Amino acid sequence: MASNPLVPNAKDALNRFKMEAASEVGVNLKNGYNGDLTASQAGSIGGQMVKKMIEQAEKSMH
């Protein structure tokens, strides 16, 4: 299932964000297909992305 960002030009930025989060948790993503990741690896990437988004939201509130 392909995701469609609300802002069409955001796809590249979201991919960079995902790659950065993956790197921070020690998961090596490839460009393109990454269906061979374990659930734990995928969850670590998603969790890191959420953590970074929350940190950014908290910074913008101050």
Side-chain angles (χ1 to χ4, degrees):
M1 178 176 179
S3 62
N4 295 316
L6 293 176
V7 180
N9 297 333
K11 187 172 183 176
D12 289 337
L14 288 171
N15 282 333
R16 285 191 303 272
F17 181 54
K18 178 174 60 176
M19 295 297 256
E20 180 181 315
S23 176
E24 290 172 357
V25 295
V27 177
N28 294 321
L29 288 182
K30 305 177 289 278
N31 286 324
Y33 180 75
N34 283 286
D36 54 346
L37 292 178
T38 66
S40 177
Q41 290 171 317
S44 293
I45 295 167
Q48 182 68 6
M49 291 173 73
V50 170
K51 178 182 173 186
K52 291 170 69 77
M53 286 185 273
I54 291 170
E55 288 172 355
Q56 186 60 39
E58 288 175 342
K59 286 180 186 176
S60 71
M61 294 170 65
H62 295 157

